[in-house]
Amino acid sequence: VQLQASGGGLVQAGASLRLSCAASGHAFSSSAGSWFRQAPGKEREFVGGISWNGGLTYYEDTVKGRFTVDRDNAKGALYLQMNSLKPEDTAVYYCAVGPYLGSESSRYEHWGRGTLVTVSS
């Protein structure tokens, strides 16, 4: 599976952004999909993920209620809807796909290049 994330940009605090991750390869529709982020000087951290059929979602505590992960298997796409953005959400965001759904980045098999999200105060 090859992944390409897009949709990042510079926004003000309180704004919304929707990130997209385009996937190629038939394994996407049977794989869990997640988003991670890495802020400058910090380790990569889990943001949220979704099971292969969309029936289960899982979020990091600081984004619960603000971010939503969804997917469209017919289009081969994974999304991250981000609302009420805060300056602390500034990071490079990565999509990842694999048989595992959870926060351990080492267990994901496929990664896309990141897209930068910058939130100004």
Side-chain angles (χ1 to χ4, degrees), residues 33-36 46-50 58-60 63 69 80 101 108:
S34 291
W35 291 90
F36 288 77
F46 175 78
V47 174
I50 189 167
Y58 176 41
Y59 298 96
E60 192 269 330
V63 307
V69 180
L80 179 65
L101 174 60
Y108 284 84

Side-chain angles (χ1 to χ4, degrees), residues 37-44 88:
R37 65 186 179 186
Q38 187 166 17
K42 295 187 177 181
E43 294 186 353
R44 190 172 298 188
E88 51 264 43

Side-chain angles (χ1 to χ4, degrees), residues 1-4 20-29 70-79 95 97:
V1 178
Q2 292 186 330
L3 305 173
Q4 179 63 55
S20 298
C21 178
S24 62
H26 67 277
F28 172 78
S29 61
D70 62 335
R71 66 190 297 162
D72 186 333
N73 284 342
K75 294 182 178 179
L78 181 71
Y79 304 103
C95 53
V97 163

